[in-house]
Amino acid sequence: MLISTHLQQYKQAILALPKDRVLVKDDLLVDELLMAQSGKLEMYYAPHNEFINSSAKVMIVGLTPGFTQMRTAILEARTALEKGLSDEEVCRAAKEAARFAGTMRLNLIHMLNGIDLHRFLNISSCDALFQEQQTLVHTTSILRFPVFVEKSNYSGAHPHLLTNPFLQKAALASICEELSQIKPLLIIPLGKIVESALQQLVELGKLNTDQCLWGFPHPSGANGHRHKQFACHQEQMRQKIRDLEVY
């Protein structure tokens, strides 16, 4: 199902993008795809996080789509639009193509297997969550749409997600809206910035801490501390998984 319907507004801009070359930031970080801005912060449209899997048992929450994800989602959406698919089918196709694409997905799968999530879900490997068992997982970002600072991927730190009113409002509104539609058994925030936002929801009484797996590092290759962070929390996270019931 769709959590929002912004595709209608940006459909023509996506279809008008160049087809004769690799799309770069000058093609996509443009006024035709700009959703909102505040100072040096700019939020652009990408379709993949408009699709949600309301039956998911596990919800994995990243920070915000980066440029590579944005480009992958938009290219897949353009192909689907040209085939005449419905808006929901377009956003679903974009999500399947773009979510944690590349080495980040491999890193994520490795760590998810390392905490025995596949055993909890009764599947052979968490690789299946991105293939034949994708109905078991909902992937999203706490900032649903791509955010950039002076055209660079937003990292969560400058400015901090929870001290900047523009970012905080967008993040908390987005994740609360999704949590109203999805009732996962387990929520996995990726990295300390996303974790801090979900902890704020716990403090506000809008999220149950028992649902959340705290301590999971962001799987990006740019996170040079992820191996140490994962090793530090691995057994604690495994125990949390063991304590959960599948049904």
Side-chain angles (χ1 to χ4, degrees):
M1 63 179 288
L2 294 179
I3 190 73
S4 54
T5 56
H6 296 286
L7 178 62
Q8 282 291 326
Q9 180 179 347
Y10 298 101
K11 190 177 293 186
Q12 292 308 314
I14 291 172
L15 288 170
L17 289 166
K19 295 183 180 180
D20 58 344
R21 54 183 169 79
V22 175
L23 297 179
V24 297
K25 288 183 178 180
D26 286 344
D27 297 312
L28 297 183
L29 305 189
V30 293
D31 289 346
E32 290 80 4
L33 293 171
L34 181 65
M35 300 185 76
Q37 64 184 122
S38 176
K40 296 178 181 180
L41 294 162
E42 294 177 323
M43 180 181 291
Y44 289 88
Y45 180 71
H48 59 298
N49 280 337
E50 293 208 90
F51 180 82
I52 65 169
N53 175 18
S54 58
S55 63
K57 288 184 167 64
V58 176
M59 182 175 182
I60 301 175
V61 187
L63 176 63
T64 186
F67 178 74
T68 299
Q69 273 187 287
M70 177 185 180
R71 177 170 56 194
T72 301
I74 284 178
L75 288 173
E76 190 67 28
R78 182 174 66 184
T79 299
L81 286 168
E82 290 173 341
K83 292 178 180 177
L85 300 185
S86 69
D87 286 3
E88 181 171 336
E89 290 170 324
V90 169
C91 293
R92 179 200 286 268
K95 170 152 279 187
E96 290 177 0
R99 55 184 180 176
F100 303 114
T103 57
M104 190 185 304
R105 182 183 294 184
L106 297 177
N107 294 340
L108 177 60
I109 290 168
H110 178 74
M111 289 191 287
L112 292 175
N113 283 337
I115 58 172
D116 295 336
L117 183 65
H118 58 300
R119 298 180 188 277
F120 168 68
L121 294 172
N122 196 29
I123 57 179
S124 59
S125 167
C126 288
D127 180 66
L129 296 176
F130 298 90
Q131 298 185 58
E132 69 273 13
Q133 297 293 341
Q134 58 188 301
T135 57
L136 293 173
V137 67
H138 173 59
T139 59
T140 189
S141 302
I142 201 155
L143 291 165
R144 185 179 301 163
F145 301 104
V147 173
F148 299 88
V149 183
E150 296 183 313
K151 309 303 183 188
S152 294
N153 290 349
Y154 173 61
S155 68
H158 303 292
H160 193 281
L161 179 70
L162 296 181
T163 59
N164 180 275
F166 170 76
L167 294 173
Q168 183 187 43
K169 180 180 179 181
L172 297 186
S174 176
I175 200 67
C176 284
E177 185 179 20
E178 292 196 33
L179 288 171
S180 72
Q181 300 294 323
I182 304 172
K183 305 300 179 186
L185 297 172
L186 183 67
I187 300 171
I188 305 177
L190 301 182
K192 294 180 180 179
I193 301 295
V194 178
E195 187 171 293
S196 67
L198 293 191
Q199 286 174 340
Q200 186 171 99
L201 291 183
V202 170
E203 293 168 7
L204 293 171
K206 296 182 178 182
L207 181 63
N208 184 347
T209 189
D210 292 339
Q211 286 180 273
C212 300
L213 189 70
W214 307 121
F216 200 98
H218 197 283
S220 169
N223 179 11
H225 302 291
R226 71 181 186 279
H227 298 296
K228 183 177 180 180
Q229 292 169 351
F230 182 73
C232 181
H233 296 283
Q234 183 175 11
E235 190 50 44
Q236 169 191 322
M237 292 188 289
R238 270 186 181 150
Q239 188 58 51
K240 176 87 171 189
I241 298 290
R242 292 189 198 107
D243 292 342
L244 288 170
E245 294 180 354
V246 177
Y247 300 105

